[in-house]
């Protein structure tokens, strides 16, 4: 339950950041991609919420985190760092729950696979953007 609750909070906070950053993107294709990643995370959060409720738990409170004013490149860097931070814990979490809760392990593995794709998409956007374009803030 602890792992599910933690994953839920991280997904919900990720949705908030991605949405905030998408609203400030200069390039429409970057905006669209960030919103798509946020939509994927919303699906993940829904799956996790279903599992928590099915197991008799309650959804945790999610503290809203506001982004500071940055340029597009810095927002993408922040999104990538957040994705990496969340992904770093996933293999260990999968391992911890694998034997006792294989269905939850499978769910977390699906999220891990999607997060890997998200990191690559954000990395691609970073590589196509100009880190010194402060005028795009």
């Amino acid at each position: 339950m602890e792992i599910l609750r933690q994953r839920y909070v991280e997904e919900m906070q990720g949705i908030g950041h991605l949405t905030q950053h998408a609203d400030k993107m200069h390039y429409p294709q970057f905006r669209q991609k960030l919103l798509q990643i946020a939509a994927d995370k919303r699906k993940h959060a829904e799956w996790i919420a279903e599992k928590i409720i099915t197991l008799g738990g309650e959804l945790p409170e999610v503290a809203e985190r506001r982004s500071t004013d940055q340029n597009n490149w810095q927002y993408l860097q922040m999104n990538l760092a957040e994705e990496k931070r969340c992904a770093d814990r996933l293999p260990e979490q999968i391992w911890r729950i694998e034997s006792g809760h294989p269905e939850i392990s499978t769910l977390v593995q699906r999220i891990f696979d999607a997060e890997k794709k998200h990191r690559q998409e954000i990395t691609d956007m970073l590589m196509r953007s100009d880190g010194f374009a402060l005028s795009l803030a």
Side-chain angles (χ1 to χ4, degrees):
M1 186 65 71
E2 171 193 335
I3 289 171
L4 288 173
R5 289 172 58 85
Q6 178 186 9
R7 297 272 12 123
Y8 179 80
V9 168
E10 289 177 354
E11 293 295 323
M12 293 301 292
Q13 287 177 336
I15 292 165
H17 272 153
L18 287 163
T19 303
Q20 289 172 28
H21 296 170
D23 288 343
K24 297 176 181 179
M25 280 290 131
H26 178 72
Y27 302 112
Q29 66 272 25
F30 287 9
R31 183 178 311 114
Q32 184 67 26
K33 182 52 72 179
L34 291 179
L35 290 174
Q36 180 57 52
I37 293 171
D40 288 350
K41 287 183 158 299
R42 187 165 279 110
K43 282 188 260 179
H44 301 165
E46 289 170 3
W47 297 339
I48 295 166
E50 282 180 31
K51 241 349 149 183
I52 290 171
I53 291 167
T54 299
L55 294 171
E58 293 184 21
L59 297 180
E61 293 286 326
V62 179
E64 183 180 346
R65 298 186 323 199
R66 302 293 304 167
S67 293
T68 58
D69 286 333
Q70 306 285 330
N71 68 28
N72 286 216
W73 193 77
Q74 290 166 320
Y75 285 133
L76 291 171
Q77 276 191 314
M78 290 169 57
N79 292 133
L80 183 59
E82 187 171 310
E83 290 291 321
K84 285 181 178 180
R85 182 183 51 76
C86 292
D88 286 347
R89 289 192 290 264
L90 282 169
E92 191 254 325
Q93 290 174 337
I94 292 167
W95 178 81
R96 282 180 47 201
I97 60 177
E98 193 169 39
S99 62
H101 303 280
E103 73 287 349
I104 296 173
S105 176
T106 300
L107 170 67
V108 176
Q109 181 65 51
R110 282 176 47 198
I111 292 170
F112 179 72
D113 293 342
E115 298 292 335
K116 189 184 315 181
K117 179 182 165 220
H118 296 159
R119 286 190 309 278
Q120 186 58 54
E121 290 170 336
I122 295 170
T123 299
D124 291 347
M125 285 187 282
L126 265 168
M127 292 176 69
R128 289 182 295 192
S129 63
D130 182 356
F132 299 102
L134 295 174
S135 63
L136 299 179

